[in-house]
Amino acid sequence: VLPELRHEGADDPGRDLVDAVVVVAEDRELALGSVVRDQAGRVADHRLGIAAGLGVTPFMRARSDHRAVGVVISLLLVVAVLGLLFAPDLLGLWLVLAGLSGGGSLVLALALMGERSPSAADAGRLSGMAQSVGYLLAAAGPWGAGVLFAATGSWTYPLLAVIAVAFVQLVLSLLAGRDRLTHQAEPDAASTKA
């Protein structure tokens, strides 16, 4: 049975999902210093994300099949959110795991665009499409979480949605992480004129 995480007075659909960390902690009556309250999400997203990117890069360089990296990164987020739901007393640990997952996800996504494209031109086209769609979806995430929170009055459901997205990411990383190109390279126009 999932705990119901409710918070009064926070029904703005535009609230960032990172607020869930503070809300869960307050609902569980955990003592949060003002620095943790103000910086919790930023720490998880930025500083730990950089560390994750630095840590993931050598592992990716060592092998061309990146499915395992995608699975680990996705499962880190699942564990972090489940921990937030069931053991919020360990808030610091869940923030670390979420930050590592976020940073590793970004590095993996950006690296795969170049590694799985047969040419630089194809990589540019793939990057333009993927980043446009990706950032559009990412921008909709906090808004959707706020709408879901406003509709239910609970952070449990938005956090379950994050878990669902992590599983979608896991499946997509299994597909994109395979050691193969997106498509066969087209012959260069200059070489076909001979």
Side-chain angles (χ1 to χ4, degrees), residues 49-95:
I50 292 168
L54 293 173
V56 166
T57 305
F59 182 78
M60 290 177 63
R61 197 174 315 142
R63 56 183 70 213
S64 53
D65 186 322
H66 302 312
R67 291 179 287 188
V69 173
V71 168
V72 169
I73 289 168
S74 300
L75 291 178
L76 280 175
L77 183 56
V78 171
V79 169
V81 174
L82 288 174
L84 185 59
L85 285 167
F86 292 106
D89 297 345
L90 300 173
L91 177 64
L93 174 62
W94 311 137
L95 289 175

Side-chain angles (χ1 to χ4, degrees), residues 23 55 124 165 180 191:
V23 171
V165 169
R180 56 190 262 188
S191 65

